[in-house]
Amino acid sequence: MDSLTTRDGSPFRRELLESLLKRRFFFTPAFEAYRTFDSCKGATRGLFDYGPPGCALQANVVDLWRKHFVLEEDMLELDCTILTPAEVFKTSGHVDKFADWMCKDSITGEYTRADHLVQNVLEARLKGDKTARGLNTEALVDGEVDGKKAKKQIKSVKAAKLDDALVAVYEDILAKIDNYDGEELSAIITQHDVRNPDNNHLVQPPIPFNLMFQTTIGPSSISPGYLRPETAQGQFLNFNKLLEFNQSKMPFASASIGKAFRNEISPRSGLLRVREFLMAEIEYFVDPENKNHARFEEIRELELQMLDRHTQLAGKTDTQTMTIGKAVEIGMIDNETLGFFLARIHLFLETLGVDQKKLRYRQHMKNEMAHYAADCWDAELYSSYGWIECVGCADRSAFDLKVHSQKTGEQLVVREQRAEPLKIEEWQIDVERRALGLEFRKDAKVVEETIRSLAQPGREAAAGKLNQEGSITLPVPGLGEVVLKPSMLSIVKRTRTESVRQYIPNVIEPSFGIGRIIYCLLEHLYWHRVGDEARGVLSFPPSVAPTKVLIVPLSTHPSFAPHVKQLSQQFRTMRVSHRVDDSSASIGKRYSRNDELGTSFGITVDFDSVKDNTFTLRDRDSTKQVRTNATDIIRAIKNLTDGVEKWTDVFERLPEFNGPNGED
């Protein structure tokens, strides 16, 4: 997708939308008054404050998320702490592996994320190639923040024709950009002379940078901690309590909504790459031997646009339309439960109003996934910044519960009564602790732990050696090689009967970046009235709109006040968000500035309202109006905001009104 259009098909200009969002206070950069202070330069980047409409929009998205997932799927919601002891993230692997690769400008010292640097430079060269060939020149200015930046971008992209083979190489690199490690990125930067595009300076080889914010807990500063980069770990560590609360029934899901923090290397792109953000995460605990889902048949025929890993590794980005059922059947999606949640994610994004033509599901390549993951897909939304990962859905296997169990000694497991007792032949170890204590003294415990940690193949081999040679040699942490004799232990094969099955659940994790979803949604739903770019519109579905209803008295005539008050009171009672605009501006201007806020419907109070208690109800997108009594108006608004009716239904059953509608 080289070009981007608005909701009505017009060319998209990002500067118009961002001007609207800032002017109407959807969000604003945090601490703007301090942006010129030397001590704050760079520190406030990637931090944003939401204004009233932004807060309401976010609250509505979160409310829909709760209804769609937590209530619909009977999930168990948690609110876990943000501040986390370092030991937790050491165990989970975040301290060692939660990092991005960054490059340092060899002269200015500025840091840039390495994969983004490669992507931006190669995309600019490909655009320059298209310009030189007389193709798609509008793509150079598409989506720039403002006019000055657009001009700067055009100057920085040289119209230079590339060799066809080099174009193919660049396209191949970009298709695999998420699959490269630091060494591979370094090779690409060197081979293709990738430099800082702001000043053409050389950059140093990529180095890893851990993205977590570190702090200390308590006044002594001896207890290190981190601000969580995700909400998941609190859910894992509360697994036993959740299982007990759920009456030990499997499978089940927990959910959490809250702030997370990542120390982004070079936060840009507005709400898309920030250092503090709202996440909504689900942890679905499932039997590793049965990842089928009870409701899979409900979504089997749902079609998604999919970009699988094999297509990406071939250097292509072509998607294919396929049903969830077919994708699971052929093994493209690993299991039914993962497929079920991809479908539920799709239906949620559809409810929000996401443009389905700008939505795809991209499968992670092997290098992208954690070593323990079975499969992972991202729901990506197309924006003026390209394809943006907004939701991740991963099969994390049993990794998290397993490592926390091993570290803490708390068994995060499920125990289920078997229908039929199971007979198991296994090698068992009997330790003579007195003999072990005499030989190893204070180290006897660690020696015993090492012995018992032997898996079945190791136990079988040790038993044979102990019988044949009269001793075994075993490496013990902190002691090196130790010799064990038959007087200290015996290893024998026995049959035991198991009536209770014990297992560590696998976890399917859908993870939502609420801020990213909101920004992409804003781009998808933005447009402007024909012939007037100054009259922007945000076409939120009623359930998402920050304000559902605008009440507009025709003028400041005192006879209108009782009717405005009565309508307002009824909406407050119904818990329907509304605003009253009784300013002196014309009806058209008042509707227009509320169209910018995405207000779904407008009610006009005029002199006929005073006479017969009838009012006009205006639809934001079509500007069509109906006129009827207050009772019918209220009922229509309730049905529209609850999703019981659409505007076309209301327009068909209520009398049309052809008076001023804000277009005049």
Side-chain angles (χ1 to χ4, degrees):
M1 297 182 73
D2 291 325
S3 59
L4 191 69
T5 58
T6 62
R7 186 175 180 272
D8 67 340
S10 303
F12 178 82
R13 292 177 58 195
R14 190 197 302 156
E15 71 272 17
L16 295 178
L17 172 61
E18 293 199 343
S19 172
L20 183 157
L21 296 176
K22 291 174 182 177
R23 177 165 40 83
R24 302 316 305 268
F25 199 11
F26 273 83
F27 61 87
T28 185
F31 314 111
E32 272 195 298
Y34 281 83
R35 66 187 182 278
T36 59
F37 283 56
D38 290 338
S39 61
C40 294
K41 286 183 178 177
T44 62
R45 287 171 58 187
L47 301 174
F48 288 88
D49 295 330
Y50 283 71
C55 281
L57 175 59
Q58 178 177 267
N60 290 341
V61 170
V62 169
D63 181 60
L64 280 175
W65 188 89
R66 275 198 174 95
K67 291 174 180 175
H68 187 86
F69 290 105
V70 179
L71 297 182
E72 175 74 15
E73 305 292 334
D74 294 322
M75 295 179 179
L76 309 178
E77 187 171 353
L78 294 174
D79 184 5
C80 300
T81 179
I82 289 171
L83 190 59
T84 309
E87 202 64 46
V88 173
F89 288 126
K90 286 181 183 177
T91 302
S92 67
H94 285 77
V95 171
D96 295 327
K97 298 180 180 179
F98 196 73
D100 282 336
W101 294 95
M102 67 178 182
C103 292
K104 184 178 181 180
D105 187 298
S106 58
I107 297 177
T108 67
E110 177 189 3
Y111 286 99
T112 307
R113 189 167 143 176
D115 58 339
H116 290 177
L117 173 66
V118 171
Q119 183 174 5
N120 292 338
V121 170
L122 297 192
E123 283 181 346
R125 291 177 185 175
L126 289 175
K127 286 181 180 179
D129 173 70
K130 287 185 176 181
T131 303
R133 296 171 187 255
L135 303 171
N136 200 34
T137 54
E138 74 274 9
L140 296 179
V141 297
D142 178 53
E144 289 307 312
V145 175
D146 55 44
K148 293 180 180 179
K149 288 190 178 181
K151 291 178 182 177
K152 179 180 178 182
Q153 181 71 9
I154 293 171
K155 290 178 182 178
S156 68
V157 178
K158 296 180 180 179
K161 187 176 180 180
L162 303 174
D163 183 80
D164 288 348
L166 187 58
V167 169
V169 170
Y170 284 178
E171 289 176 342
D172 183 69
I173 291 171
L174 291 172
K176 302 175 183 176
I177 193 66
D178 294 313
N179 201 39
Y180 297 121
D181 59 21
E183 186 176 338
E184 291 167 326
L185 287 168
S186 181
I188 292 170
I189 289 169
T190 301
Q191 181 180 354
H192 297 286
D193 192 28
V194 174
R195 303 186 179 210
N196 186 340
D198 294 334
N199 48 36
N200 204 38
H201 294 164
L202 292 171
V203 296
Q204 296 178 5
I207 58 173
F209 174 72
N210 192 286
L211 298 178
M212 290 194 296
F213 283 99
Q214 189 169 14
T215 185
T216 57
I217 303 173
S220 63
S221 298
I222 61 172
S223 299
Y226 292 94
L227 302 184
R228 67 183 183 191
E230 61 179 26
T231 70
Q233 299 307 314
Q235 297 184 63
F236 297 138
L237 290 168
N238 280 295
F239 171 74
N240 281 343
K241 298 180 180 68
L242 288 166
L243 182 62
E244 181 182 3
F245 185 87
N246 202 48
Q247 299 178 344
S248 298
K249 294 177 182 177
M250 287 285 292
F252 73 91
S254 63
S256 190
I257 303 170
K259 287 293 184 74
F261 304 82
R262 297 182 185 179
N263 196 10
E264 293 287 349
I265 295 166
S266 51
R268 295 172 183 170
S269 310
L271 296 180
L272 298 181
R273 190 158 297 280
V274 294
R275 287 173 168 148
E276 177 183 335
F277 52 95
L278 187 66
M279 293 188 77
E281 290 190 299
I282 295 165
E283 309 300 335
Y284 187 85
F285 300 99
V286 62
D287 186 337
E289 296 181 4
N290 180 15
K291 293 185 179 179
N292 294 334
H293 198 283
R295 296 178 58 192
F296 186 75
E297 292 303 318
E298 296 176 23
I299 53 82
R300 175 182 287 277
E301 300 305 319
L302 183 68
E303 291 185 337
L304 303 184
Q305 291 289 328
M306 297 183 183
L307 175 59
D308 67 282
R309 65 168 64 98
H310 302 296
T311 301
Q312 297 171 72
L313 289 172
K316 301 181 182 298
T317 57
D318 303 319
T319 60
Q320 56 181 313
T321 303
M322 188 180 296
T323 66
I324 294 287
K326 182 67 174 178
V328 171
E329 181 184 328
I330 66 174
M332 181 187 293
I333 296 175
D334 187 73
N335 56 76
E336 282 190 7
T337 297
L338 186 62
F340 176 80
F341 277 105
L342 285 174
R344 293 292 295 160
I345 290 166
H346 185 85
L347 295 172
F348 171 67
L349 294 175
E350 186 177 55
T351 300
L352 293 183
V354 161
D355 187 339
Q356 299 298 297
K357 297 188 295 294
K358 300 173 184 175
L359 168 61
R360 73 180 185 187
Y361 295 84
R362 188 184 69 83
Q363 187 177 31
H364 280 210
M365 291 173 279
K366 292 294 185 181
N367 277 9
E368 286 182 87
M369 295 197 301
H371 65 278
Y372 52 79
D375 196 6
C376 184
W377 292 78
D378 288 340
E380 296 184 333
L381 298 177
Y382 192 67
S383 75
S384 59
Y385 294 99
W387 286 103
I388 303 299
E389 170 200 343
C390 292
V391 187
C393 192
D395 184 334
R396 297 175 66 115
S397 70
F399 174 79
D400 301 277
L401 295 177
K402 184 176 181 180
V403 295
H404 286 305
S405 291
Q406 292 172 342
K407 182 67 176 181
T408 64
E410 180 180 356
Q411 293 298 301
L412 302 175
V413 297
V414 176
R415 296 177 178 86
E416 293 179 346
Q417 195 73 28
R418 290 188 179 277
E420 294 287 340
L422 183 67
K423 291 187 176 181
I424 301 171
E425 278 194 345
E426 64 182 12
W427 292 92
Q428 296 181 355
I429 297 174
D430 298 325
V431 174
E432 296 293 337
R433 288 180 175 168
R434 178 178 174 80
L436 211 64
L438 289 172
E439 180 70 20
F440 297 106
R441 305 291 180 183
K442 61 182 178 59
D443 297 317
K445 183 177 180 180
V446 69
V447 173
E448 181 178 348
E449 289 174 350
T450 304
I451 294 169
R452 295 196 183 281
S453 69
L454 288 173
Q456 286 297 308
R459 293 184 179 195
E460 183 176 3
K465 195 169 185 180
L466 195 63
N467 291 333
Q468 293 173 12
E469 302 179 11
S471 67
I472 58 173
T473 302
L474 195 67
V476 177
L479 297 179
E481 300 282 341
V482 301
V483 178
L484 300 170
K485 300 176 182 179
S487 61
M488 301 175 189
L489 81 164
S490 60
I491 306 176
V492 294
K493 195 170 190 178
R494 298 190 181 107
T495 300
R496 66 179 175 88
T497 301
E498 186 180 270
S499 299
V500 176
R501 178 184 172 223
Q502 178 174 297
Y503 64 89
I504 302 177
N506 279 201
V507 176
I508 309 295
E509 180 190 71
S511 178
F512 300 73
I514 299 299
R516 288 186 173 194
I517 292 172
I518 286 174
Y519 180 78
C520 292
L521 184 67
L522 288 164
E523 283 204 2
H524 288 195
L525 298 181
Y526 169 76
W527 57 289
H528 56 77
R529 301 292 180 193
V530 177
D532 192 351
E533 290 185 340
R535 297 180 63 195
V537 183
L538 288 169
S539 291
F540 298 117
S543 58
V544 179
T547 305
K548 317 300 184 192
V549 185
L550 175 70
I551 302 174
V552 186
L554 188 64
S555 67
T556 57
H557 195 280
S559 64
F560 298 151
H563 295 276
V564 170
K565 184 177 180 180
Q566 182 182 17
L567 287 169
S568 183
Q569 181 59 52
Q570 286 181 284
F571 286 130
R572 276 197 294 271
T573 301
M574 295 165 55
R575 300 293 187 263
V576 172
S577 60
H578 67 284
R579 297 182 65 204
V580 176
D581 189 341
D582 55 3
S583 65
S584 59
S586 69
I587 286 282
K589 286 184 178 179
R590 282 185 277 174
Y591 273 136
S592 182
R593 61 194 183 197
N594 280 277
D595 290 344
E596 288 185 330
L597 291 170
T599 305
S600 302
F601 307 106
I603 297 176
T604 304
V605 181
D606 54 23
F607 288 106
D608 286 335
S609 305
V610 177
K611 293 178 182 177
D612 57 15
N613 200 38
T614 62
F615 306 87
T616 60
L617 175 62
R618 172 191 183 265
D619 173 57
R620 174 199 58 219
D621 294 346
S622 67
T623 72
K624 291 183 178 180
Q625 298 181 103
V626 295
R627 188 173 189 101
T628 187
N629 60 69
T631 300
D632 287 345
I633 291 284
I634 296 294
R635 184 184 302 117
I637 292 291
K638 178 65 174 172
N639 289 344
L640 288 163
T641 55
D642 288 347
V644 176
E645 285 187 299
K646 296 181 179 179
W647 172 254
T648 51
D649 301 321
V650 172
F651 188 72
E652 185 176 335
R653 67 178 177 80
L654 294 180
E656 182 178 3
F657 179 72
N658 292 311
N661 60 4
E663 286 293 279
D664 304 285

